[in-house]
Amino acid sequence: MVNSINFLLLLSLLPFAPFCHCEKKNEGYLYPQFYDGSCPRVQEIVQSVVAKAVAKEPRMAASLLRLHFHDCFVKGCDASVLLDSSGTIISEKRSNPNRDSARGFEVIDEIKSALEKECSHTVSCADILALAARDSTVLTGGPSWEVPLGRRDSLGASISGSNNNIPAPNNTFETILTKFKLKGLDIVDLVALSGSHTIGDSRCTSFRQRLYNQTGNGKADFTLDQQYAAELRTRCPRSGGDQNLFVLDFVSPLKFDNFYYKNLLTNKGLLSSDEVLLTKNKESADLVRKYAERNDLFFEQFAQSMVKMGNITPLTGSRGEIRKNCRKINK
């Protein structure tokens, strides 16, 4: 009899069981409304600071977008890229993909400072990176999307992960695709996300081999338009000028559009990692042609792929922390 009463009591409580776990209900995944109760002005504040920074220096949009990429491809989207070296932490800023090129850290600091005043110890640096990437895209004429939120910040960095996981300008197509697949991304994501090279700059050192010695035979890359190559050589010599900057999209370098793909079709993609999308794989080449023809399809896929990339192994729930200063872990 007692057992029957206990069983009935248990049954009567079942409908209310989910409410007992309301704090854990959303652990483990991200959603756009994460800060609606705790920091409702978060998106407005991030957008305001990013807009001011991009108005001051248009190149900053590409820099902030790149920071999110370089964060997510190392240990997931956890703001590890923002940590300075200290104690046992060796900063990812020292890695080959980031040294002398990763920038925008002061803008992230400014956003974090404003958010700490608005709602202290609430918004993660990882979420700031994701929002800033979206806002940078929109401010330069690109698509918008709802950013899933709720990431937390890492307690460490990985310079080896940064050196090994981030696709490099001189990687082969297969190597780049493998690096994407290891993060749960596919060939469609690869081609769409490469379209971010519609804005921003690249350094001479990132493509010099295409101009002088692509395959080790002392000759230029035959897939690069020779007149374009000649123009590039005037400011990218065989030696020296490593930090000289060149726009990735010479047609509309400050506008987020599909000219990146149109340039590839005329053999005027700046980086080898750009041009191989057209020359080394039929499926990726077909996607390049599709996005070159249909800007709307590029925008739609770019937004979807950005959300997908932003979901690479985030820290959620009680894992990680909410940093007070994006450059260092909390004491």
Side-chain angles (χ1 to χ4, degrees), residues 35 38-47 49 107-129 131-132 322-324 326:
Y35 296 111
S38 59
C39 194
R41 292 186 61 233
V42 58
Q43 305 214 29
E44 174 192 339
I45 290 169
V46 173
Q47 198 276 339
V49 177
V107 179
I108 302 299
D109 291 340
E110 188 178 344
I111 295 169
K112 182 61 173 172
S113 177
L115 287 171
E116 285 299 305
K117 289 175 186 170
E118 176 75 15
C119 40
S120 65
H121 206 60
T122 301
V123 181
S124 70
C125 301
D127 278 344
I128 290 172
L129 283 172
L131 288 168
I322 305 297
R323 286 184 215 143
K324 293 177 183 175
C326 292

Side-chain angles (χ1 to χ4, degrees), residues 23-42:
E23 289 301 313
K24 294 185 177 181
K25 186 172 65 173
N26 287 318
E27 279 192 13
Y29 72 92
L30 313 174
Y31 53 106
Q33 300 80 19
F34 187 85
Y35 296 111
D36 281 7
S38 59
C39 194
R41 292 186 61 233
V42 58

Side-chain angles (χ1 to χ4, degrees), residues 268-301:
K268 293 177 181 175
L270 184 63
L271 305 178
S272 175
S273 55
D274 295 326
E275 202 61 50
V276 293
L277 299 180
L278 181 69
T279 60
K280 298 297 183 182
N281 181 279
K282 183 184 183 305
E283 187 178 353
S284 68
D286 288 344
L287 288 165
V288 167
R289 293 186 185 95
K290 180 167 84 168
Y291 298 149
E293 189 176 323
R294 294 279 302 274
N295 192 61
D296 59 326
L297 295 180
F298 163 48
F299 275 22
E300 182 183 343
Q301 186 58 54

Side-chain angles (χ1 to χ4, degrees), residues 82-84 93 105-106 109 323 325-329:
L82 302 178
L83 289 171
D84 288 336
K93 297 174 186 178
F105 300 108
E106 295 79 9
D109 291 340
R323 286 184 215 143
N325 178 338
C326 292
R327 293 174 181 264
K328 56 187 181 182
I329 59 173

Side-chain angles (χ1 to χ4, degrees), residues 72-84:
C72 292
F73 268 78
V74 184
K75 288 169 19 69
C77 309
D78 60 2
S80 62
V81 72
L82 302 178
L83 289 171
D84 288 336

Side-chain angles (χ1 to χ4, degrees), residues 201-273:
D201 301 331
S202 184
R203 296 174 299 154
C204 165
T205 186
S206 295
F207 61 88
R208 174 184 281 122
Q209 85 285 348
R210 296 194 77 197
L211 304 180
Y212 302 102
N213 193 24
Q214 176 68 357
T215 58
N217 63 358
K219 294 183 180 180
D221 185 347
F222 71 90
T223 67
L224 182 63
D225 178 86
Q226 292 311 297
Q227 185 178 343
Y228 183 45
E231 290 173 20
L232 296 172
R233 286 190 201 98
T234 62
R235 289 184 49 242
C236 186
R238 282 183 184 271
S239 61
D242 285 7
Q243 306 304 316
N244 290 352
L245 292 175
F246 297 76
V247 293
L248 286 158
D249 169 4
F250 70 92
V251 177
S252 54
L254 299 177
K255 190 174 190 319
F256 198 102
D257 55 27
N258 66 339
F259 265 105
Y260 164 80
Y261 301 104
K262 294 179 180 180
N263 294 340
L264 292 185
L265 294 178
T266 59
N267 300 314
K268 293 177 181 175
L270 184 63
L271 305 178
S272 175
S273 55

